[in-house]
């Protein structure tokens, strides 16, 4: 048994764990990083990176069919599904060196490729190594939830951990779950020539603003994706393909089945009881500083039991580094953390939705909307579907939702606005290049002042007086 003493022991080499390890070691701390699976975690290998590569291929295929309005004759794309997956693999391989064991060892991190298990509040074992650390960071990410539907366990179902390695094009893909993962994969596979049916027990994109989510759902249906909302599955069966029996007695047949029914924190086998670390169904129980019931142990990212975003894990890393390295107080906030669903059109949100803002602020809330079809760049590109929606209280935005082209890019400005507590005047006063889609943000901000200026009789009287007395 090899014994190691260190300042910080990080368990999990996904986005949050890598950010903690890199930041801490470069500022002088001794760091041990433990990973039993692939470096880079879920985002690099099974999530954000491969899904966006697949969506890019699907977008290229769709462009060949959608140019009639621009004077381009539609053509049927010839999709080589295996070559598409080669593109996905190349994308992962191109990014992987940034997350590799070699890079982190080059930074001075001790990397142990094995599974970690707490032996006590101050010790972890990983393979033949026993690590004693002043501080621990649990950054183990999450795993797909597989619901206990009768018959499902006997089927060769897919999850996000397996679908990107599938080289056989599904003739008809059944997707259980209509959240962001389910709808992104639905649109991608439909555009690549697969039949697709999404089965969702509640509303599709049920976490999002219904007005904005409806735009995405309508587009997917227009492209030929069948989306069954408010529909439960009572059982699955195999055979020559996959058969889903719905709660109303209907049956659906498919060639493949993707489970996209949510995710849970990956905490199994960590020995949290031995560490004195409390957890619940969502993840490790942490305070506002991401510290667990064991003051030596922190949790970041999906393991911390909150929202499951790669960029949130990176933000969490900064919060715990400030505490562990500099003994500075730091608290994790969610009000400025954006999220995006990368369908076409994209759907992005930061801060409160309209329903959340109304519940919290009541009559003090002003809701602004600006449609993409009133944006010149959107008109020029034929990408006019969508709108921006801004929730304002006392002159400051408290939430913004965008559904439309490049929504995931456009939401960044509003994330800054909420983080810095900017007033609407700052946003209305910015100058954007013309023509850009970013002008929808400026126009929405300007809409906050329009009635105060153009429909105000006092303003009109002042202007008339000024004009009368100006030389």
């Amino acid at each position: 048994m090899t014994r190691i003493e260190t300042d910080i022991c990080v368990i999990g080499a996904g986005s949050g764990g890598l950010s903690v390890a890199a930041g801490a070691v470069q500022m002088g701390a001794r760091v041990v990083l433990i990973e039993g699976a692939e470096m880079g975690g879920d985002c690099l290998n099974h999530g954000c990176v491969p899904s966006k590569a697949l969506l890019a291929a699907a977008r290229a295929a769709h462009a060949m069919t959608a140019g009639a309005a621009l004077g381009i004759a539609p053509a049927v794309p010839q999709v080589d599904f295996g070559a598409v997956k080669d593109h996905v693999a190349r994308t992962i391989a191109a990014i992987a060196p940034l997350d590799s064991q070699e890079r982190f060892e080059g930074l001075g991190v001790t990397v142990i490729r094995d599974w970690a298990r707490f032996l006590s509040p101050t010790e972890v074992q990983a393979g033949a190594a026993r690590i004693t650390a002043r501080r621990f960071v649990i950054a183990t990410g999450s795993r797909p939830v597989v619901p206990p539907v009768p018959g499902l366990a006997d089927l060769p179902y897919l999850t996000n951990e397996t679908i990107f390695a599938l080289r056989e094009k599904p003739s008809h893909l059944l997707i259980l779950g209509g959240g962001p993962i389910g709808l992104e994969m639905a649109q991608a596979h439909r555009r690549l020539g697969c039949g697709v049916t999404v089965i969702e027990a509640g509303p599709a994109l049920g976490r999002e603003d219904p007005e904005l989510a409806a735009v995405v759902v309508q587009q997917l249906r227009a492209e030929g994706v069948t989306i069954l909302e408010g529909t439960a599955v009572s059982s699955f069966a195999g055979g020559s393909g996959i058969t889903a029996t719905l709660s109303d007695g209907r049956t659906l047949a498919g060639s493949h089945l993707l489970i996209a029914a949510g995710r849970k924190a990956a905490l199994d086998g960590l020995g949290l009881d031995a560490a004195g670390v409390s957890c619940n169904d969502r993840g490790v129980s942490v305070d506002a500083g991401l510290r667990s019931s064991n003051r030596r142990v922190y949790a970041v990212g999906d393991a911390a039991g909150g929202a499951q975003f790669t960029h949130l894990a990176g933000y969490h890393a900064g919060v715990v580094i400030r505490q562990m390295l500099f003994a500075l107080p730091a608290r994790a906030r969610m009000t400025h953390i954006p999220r995006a669903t990368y369908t076409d059109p994209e759907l992005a949100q930061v801060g409160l939705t309209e329903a959340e803002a109304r519940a919290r602020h009541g009559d003090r809330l002003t809701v602004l909307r600006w449609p993409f079809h009133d944006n010149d760049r959107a008109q020029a590109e034929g990408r006019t579907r969508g709108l921006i929606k801004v929730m304002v209280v006392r002159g400051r935005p408290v939430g913004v939702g965008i559904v439309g082209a490049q929504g995931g890019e456009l939401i960044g400005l509003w994330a800054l606005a909420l983080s810095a507590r900017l007033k609407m005047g700052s946003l209305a006063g910015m100058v954007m290049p013309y023509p850009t889609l970013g002008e929808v943000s400026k126009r929405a901000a300007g809409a906050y002042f329009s009635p105060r200026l153009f429909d105000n009789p006092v303003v009109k009287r002042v202007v008339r007086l000024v004009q009368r007395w100006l030389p």
Side-chain angles (χ1 to χ4, degrees), residues 269-343:
L270 278 177
L272 297 183
D273 288 343
V277 173
S278 299
C279 63
N280 53 40
D281 292 340
R282 293 179 58 83
V284 176
S285 301
V286 296
D287 61 16
L290 302 171
R291 178 175 275 178
S292 77
S293 52
N294 178 345
R295 63 179 302 276
R296 296 176 179 269
V297 180
Y298 296 80
V300 301
D302 295 5
Q308 298 172 339
F309 310 130
T310 295
H311 49 282
L312 178 60
Y315 164 68
H316 281 175
V319 172
V320 300
I321 283 176
R322 285 195 292 275
Q323 296 172 80
M324 293 189 302
L325 270 61
F326 302 107
L328 295 174
R331 298 165 60 92
R333 298 187 297 128
M334 279 299 296
T335 55
H336 64 302
I337 304 297
R339 62 180 183 266
T341 299
Y342 295 96
T343 47

Side-chain angles (χ1 to χ4, degrees), residues 64-90:
M64 296 181 66
T65 71
L70 302 177
I72 309 300
V76 178
Q78 302 301 308
V79 177
D80 183 334
F81 201 74
V84 168
K85 292 304 177 72
D86 290 339
H87 162 66
V88 171
R90 284 194 302 271

Side-chain angles (χ1 to χ4, degrees), residues 350-368:
V350 65
L352 304 177
T353 64
E354 180 181 357
E356 293 166 344
R358 289 196 183 283
R360 184 173 302 183
H361 297 288
D363 294 340
R364 293 177 296 163
L365 175 69
T366 299
V367 179
L368 310 171

Side-chain angles (χ1 to χ4, degrees), residues 8 10 17-18 20-26 29-34 39 101-112:
I8 298 171
V10 180
L18 293 177
V20 171
V25 77
Q26 291 180 95
R30 297 173 299 164
V31 179
V32 171
L33 174 64
I34 305 172
M39 296 288 290
Q101 179 174 343
E102 292 76 14
R103 174 173 180 253
F104 277 78
E105 288 177 337
L107 293 174
V109 177
T110 299
V111 180
I112 300 174

